[in-house]
Amino acid sequence: AGPLRILDLGAGTGSNLRALAPGLPTPQIWTLADNDPGLTGGVRAPDGVEAHAIEVDLASALPDFAGYDLVTAAAFLDLVSGDWTARLAEALGRARVPFLAVLSVDGTAAFDPAHPLDPVVREAVNAH
C-alpha cells in the first residue's frame, strides 16, 4: 500500500533511477543519497516518480533503512571497505529490505600508480 520507497546509495547522477523507475510500479519515492549534492541536484524523475536528494557521508555512516521497500547502489560498493560492506549487509538484513547492487565494467582499467599485479587484478575483475 502506498508509494514504493527506494533508497539509492551513492546515487550520483541518478543512473539507477533512470534505469529502474520505468519498470517498477508507480507511485515511487526515491531518496538519492550521495556525498556530492552537485551530482544529485539536477536529477529529473519520470512521471509518477518523486525524487529528492540527501547529502550523506556514506563512507562513515549507514543510513536508516526503516521505511524503505528497496535499497539500490550502482558502481558504489567498489568504493567502500569490506568492513563497511559487512555492516551494510547486516543492517539490511535486520531491516529486511531487499538490496540491488550493479556495477558496469567495460573491460578496461587503469591503475595509478602502476603495480606488477595490475594485469592479474584486471583479469580477475573481467572474469568475474
Side-chain angles (χ1 to χ4, degrees), residues 11-15 17-18 30 32 37-46 51-53:
T13 61
S15 63
L17 170 67
R18 289 189 302 278
W30 284 71
L32 307 174
L39 292 174
T40 55
V43 174
R44 290 196 177 139
H52 62 276

Side-chain angles (χ1 to χ4, degrees), residues 8-39:
D8 190 17
L9 303 176
T13 61
S15 63
N16 269 346
L17 170 67
R18 289 189 302 278
L20 298 174
L24 295 172
T26 56
Q28 301 167 26
I29 299 174
W30 284 71
T31 300
L32 307 174
D34 204 288
N35 67 348
D36 184 351
L39 292 174

